[in-house]
Amino acid sequence: MNARAGGMVLELTCVLDAPRERVFRALTEPAELATWWGPHGFTTPEIDLDLRVGSSYRFTMKPPDGDLFHLSGEFLKIDPPSRLAYTFRWEEPDPDDRTTVVTLSLDAAGDATEVSLTQGEFATEARLALHRSGWTDGLEKLRELIEPGA
């Protein structure tokens, strides 16, 4: 997995050994999202989403030793199996949080899929680092889901 931050925008890429359709399904179906979303040790006990441009989603997350918290947003672009874009906001925000836009691009790489993620723009380096860590863990969990034995 490659990671770099351009200004206050998070950029990550990884290659998953699965076709784009399989990866897109894991990014958009609640039962699949619940298995990989979030940092290691976190669970996502509730996922509400209406996968249509202009519609919304809301995730309830639980850290290993903490209280439930929520994130939500609206879908901006849905182009299966190649692109997904949505706003991302914490419902109980930190003072340094702001609404960001997440864009996931899925490009065929032979029988595999290159996933490119951008999110931003962040207000502080600390919030950028928090999201970098969360997405890195989440993408590792996604790899475990769609690449058995990975």
Side-chain angles (χ1 to χ4, degrees):
M1 185 172 328
N2 297 321
R4 67 181 189 275
M8 296 293 235
V9 175
L10 174 63
E11 296 179 354
L12 294 172
T13 61
C14 69
V15 176
L16 301 172
D17 190 17
R20 291 185 316 159
E21 293 78 10
R22 173 68 183 103
V23 176
F24 194 86
R25 189 169 60 247
L27 296 174
T28 57
E29 291 187 6
E32 298 221 34
L33 279 162
T35 66
W36 68 267
W37 183 267
H40 293 297
F42 283 61
T43 59
T44 311
E46 295 177 32
I47 296 178
D48 259 332
L49 67 82
D50 181 0
L51 193 63
R52 294 179 298 144
V53 171
S55 293
S56 63
Y57 71 90
R58 184 173 193 253
F59 293 2
T60 300
M61 295 179 64
K62 184 169 186 342
D65 296 318
D67 295 328
L68 296 174
F69 63 94
H70 307 91
L71 63 103
S72 62
E74 291 78 39
F75 291 102
L76 303 173
K77 182 166 186 150
I78 302 166
D79 186 13
S82 60
R83 184 173 287 261
L84 184 65
Y86 50 89
T87 60
F88 183 113
R89 73 177 160 274
W90 299 108
E91 290 188 4
E92 300 86 13
D94 179 276
D96 289 332
D97 282 329
R98 61 170 63 155
T99 298
T100 57
V101 173
V102 174
T103 301
L104 292 151
S105 298
L106 284 64
D107 295 309
D111 293 334
T113 301
E114 181 179 79
V115 179
S116 300
L117 176 144
T118 62
Q119 183 180 7
E121 183 166 309
F122 293 95
T124 67
E125 287 289 341
R127 298 316 281 176
L128 174 65
L130 175 84
H131 284 259
R132 180 185 303 117
S133 176
W135 276 112
T136 299
D137 283 1
L139 291 172
E140 288 172 5
K141 290 165 52 180
L142 176 61
R143 180 183 309 281
E144 293 167 6
L145 171 67
I146 64 176
E147 294 180 11

